[in-house]
Amino acid sequence: MRLNNILPNKDAKHYKKRLGRGIGSGSGKTAGRGHKGQKSRSGGFNKICFEGGQMPLYRRLPKRGFKSIKCFYKTEIRLSDLQNLNISEIDIFTLKNANIISKFTRVVRVILSGNLSKKIIIKGLKVTKGAKIAIEKIGGSIM
């Protein structure tokens, strides 16, 4: 046996149909493309979203703004919200248990809004400059 003697099994190989090779081939003359028109000619095609010249759907609909996916996981809380809590040590888990923030929240920022009159300790939360000064003025701390 030699390499030039090896053949594929019978009916294992399908040869490409030869188009436009005379009437006897069965695919002569128009070569299976029908008569006339854009799709019968070489290079004739439409874009996928082409609607026959009508204004396409993606141009008819109004444009909308951008909303970041990240904003779903961020939350801001006020000092007045912390005032209402009966806990002195505050972290993200205590805020979730108290239903002040969503269970999906990953980043919490404390902002200066409202009054704070009790000493609190904040762990693992972001704090604005004004809120930090207000917390430390009362004797609280940020870790």
Side-chain angles (χ1 to χ4, degrees), residues 93-111:
F93 300 110
T94 56
L95 294 171
K96 285 181 182 181
N97 290 337
N99 290 328
I100 291 176
I101 59 172
S102 168
K103 64 178 180 177
F104 301 110
T105 303
R106 294 182 190 161
V107 179
V108 178
R109 172 172 283 167
V110 181
I111 59 171

Side-chain angles (χ1 to χ4, degrees), residues 62-66:
K63 286 194 277 186
R64 298 286 294 148
F66 171 79

Side-chain angles (χ1 to χ4, degrees), residues 2-10:
R2 293 180 185 243
L3 286 175
N4 63 338
N5 295 337
I6 298 171
L7 295 171
N9 293 332
K10 189 182 177 193

